[in-house]
Amino acid sequence: MKIGDLAKATGLTPSRIRYYEAEGLISAPPRQDNGYRHYPPETALILMLIDRAQGFGFTLEQIRQVLPQGKESWNHEGLIASLESRVEEIRLLQQQLRENQTMILHLISGIENRPEGISCQENMLRVMRLMQVDTPVLHSIK
């Protein structure tokens, strides 16, 4: 399969396929007499797995560690450990996002409920206190 055919089959650009090849994520294919690369059909599956894994947030180095090398079989234990680790990272990120959302909603409420007669600077300090931001710079502004 030529690189153009592989690109159509996977939805990846030829330059991205060449990049994955240069990074050692896929094996360099044999070249035909005319110099064209000739990729085996299973390369499409590997490329789609790499693309999907990147979509899941894995780095190329993390992907490289679990892909089979040459004729080797998959490192099932390594793959499972990597997936479980990513699930935990996602869980922690979700928790952080929930906390950020709560803080932002609290901030919005604090801004909207500005007491009458308070200056913009005083309101900013009041809102910063709501956010529990305590820095030496803020003390000098008071």
Side-chain angles (χ1 to χ4, degrees):
M1 178 181 313
K2 290 188 219 173
I3 196 164
D5 299 327
L6 188 57
K8 286 178 189 171
T10 61
L12 302 174
T13 62
S15 62
R16 192 163 172 199
I17 294 168
R18 284 188 207 97
Y19 175 73
Y20 289 149
E21 183 182 324
E23 288 293 312
L25 293 167
I26 60 171
S27 301
R31 293 194 179 254
Q32 298 173 329
D33 291 339
N34 59 9
Y36 290 129
R37 293 172 171 94
H38 182 73
Y39 293 90
E42 60 271 9
T43 304
L45 176 61
I46 298 290
L47 287 170
M48 289 188 286
L49 288 171
I50 293 168
D51 187 54
R52 178 59 85 147
Q54 281 193 293
F56 289 155
F58 288 96
T59 66
L60 291 183
E61 187 54 39
Q62 290 169 323
I63 296 168
R64 180 185 340 277
Q65 291 175 11
V66 296
L67 284 176
Q69 301 298 318
K71 299 288 183 194
E72 293 180 28
S73 63
W74 288 89
N75 173 357
H76 291 258
E77 294 79 20
L79 181 58
I80 289 171
S82 183
L83 292 170
E84 287 174 343
S85 174
R86 184 64 187 140
V87 167
E88 180 60 17
E89 289 171 10
I90 291 169
R91 189 193 66 73
L92 291 172
L93 183 58
Q94 288 173 327
Q95 178 182 343
Q96 183 180 5
L97 289 171
R98 281 190 300 275
E99 290 169 5
N100 288 349
Q101 180 184 28
T102 299
M103 181 58 79
I104 290 170
L105 290 171
H106 187 65
L107 179 60
I108 290 170
S109 175
I111 293 169
E112 288 177 340
N113 295 314
R114 176 181 170 184
E116 286 192 41
I118 190 171
S119 74
C120 234
Q121 185 174 12
E122 290 169 328
N123 193 44
M124 178 193 69
L125 291 172
R126 184 185 68 80
V127 169
M128 295 299 274
R129 280 191 291 275
L130 288 175
M131 292 176 45
Q132 299 177 348
V133 174
D134 190 21
T135 65
V137 173
L138 291 179
H139 293 295
S140 67
I141 296 175
K142 291 180 183 177

